[in-house]
Amino acid sequence: MSTGAELLREHGLRVTRPRLAVLEVLNGGGHLEVDEIAHRVRSRLDSVSTQAIYDVLGALTRAGLARRIEPAGSAARYESRAGDNHHHIVCRGCGAIADVDCEVGRRPCLMPAEVHGFDLDEAEITFWGLCPACKARRTADIAS
């Protein structure tokens, strides 16, 4: 497994403390907003500006080391799971986000390419619903 520094170099990026810290935060998992990433990075480094965090996230996203998602009605979020064409499910109640693996082999989510002649490499699909906790809360509210 590559270290953060090795990953950055392999993707043609300079190794800097902010880049390493953001990679470490993203590798901790989740679908994080910039403010949360900045808070976690600042706990590792003495000082880093919010603009620097945006710059790092932009570089990591362009290099394929991070993925930016923008669920409707929500701020942009970032994750380290990139390049595997997975999708997301978002809770309409609390906003929780989880990954949904795409079909392997015959990828039906990429079928529009056949109709429109595009050379597709990724589909961004967002499923919406209620997480188990919000569903239980709603059921309890209806029952009372």
Side-chain angles (χ1 to χ4, degrees), residues 51-143:
Q51 185 58 52
I53 299 295
Y54 276 106
D55 292 344
V56 168
L57 289 167
L60 295 178
T61 300
R62 286 188 300 277
L65 292 172
R67 182 175 178 188
R68 175 187 169 129
I69 63 168
E70 295 181 64
S74 175
R77 295 172 181 253
Y78 293 85
E79 64 180 329
S80 63
R81 187 174 171 188
D84 68 348
N85 197 44
H86 72 280
H87 310 301
H88 297 95
I89 188 163
V90 181
C91 178
R92 289 187 189 278
C94 66
I97 300 174
D99 292 334
V100 177
D101 291 332
C102 186
E103 286 288 322
V104 291
R106 183 179 165 269
R107 298 176 297 180
C109 58
L110 298 180
M111 298 298 271
E114 296 173 5
V115 176
H116 300 286
F118 282 72
D119 183 15
L120 296 181
D121 57 21
E122 183 177 8
E124 190 170 309
I125 298 170
T126 304
F127 300 94
W128 295 87
L130 290 176
C131 70
C134 288
K135 183 178 173 183
R137 228 178 345 269
R138 179 177 277 177
T139 302
D141 288 346
I142 292 171

Side-chain angles (χ1 to χ4, degrees), residues 17-66:
R17 291 180 67 221
R19 286 179 178 168
L20 289 171
V22 170
L23 263 180
E24 185 179 312
V25 166
L26 292 177
N27 286 332
H31 303 87
L32 305 172
E33 292 183 21
V34 173
D35 289 343
E36 179 61 26
I37 295 167
H39 175 74
R40 293 182 188 186
V41 166
R42 288 180 184 126
S43 73
R44 291 166 170 76
L45 302 177
D46 294 334
S47 167
V48 62
S49 71
T50 301
Q51 185 58 52
I53 299 295
Y54 276 106
D55 292 344
V56 168
L57 289 167
L60 295 178
T61 300
R62 286 188 300 277
L65 292 172

